[in-house]
Amino acid sequence: METDNQVYQKIDMLPSDLKEEVLDFIDFIPMKRKNKKAVHPRPVFGCAKGQFSMSEDFGAPLDDFKEYRS
């Protein structure tokens, strides 16, 4: 593949210390992707069932808005 050859050539031109950094970065990339997926797992539908309740008068008009109601 042409891009592989370009990458190899560019890495080959780097000084030794920068080659070490490139190797570290290459090792880091898969870990970054793996952690990214683990950080945002999709919630399971219904996982919070029974953890919340609403009062019986939840839909009742609020006293604070009496003056706006006719």
Side-chain angles (χ1 to χ4, degrees):
M1 188 183 263
E2 184 63 33
T3 56
D4 288 344
N5 290 332
Q6 290 173 339
V7 171
Y8 296 139
Q9 289 173 355
K10 288 182 180 187
I11 291 174
D12 194 38
M13 290 187 292
L14 293 173
S16 301
D17 59 329
L18 291 180
K19 286 180 184 178
E20 295 276 336
E21 283 190 48
V22 170
L23 284 173
D24 289 341
F25 183 70
I26 290 171
D27 291 337
F28 168 75
I29 292 172
M31 291 188 312
K32 177 182 159 188
R33 177 172 281 176
K34 190 165 106 175
N35 289 341
K36 194 173 193 178
K37 289 180 184 176
V39 170
H40 302 289
R42 293 188 70 112
V44 177
F45 181 76
C47 64
K49 185 177 182 178
Q51 293 183 9
F52 302 96
S53 62
M54 294 173 58
S55 63
E56 294 295 324
D57 64 342
F58 179 78
L62 299 173
D63 291 336
D64 295 342
F65 297 105
K66 278 184 183 177
E67 65 185 78
Y68 298 107
R69 290 180 279 162
S70 311

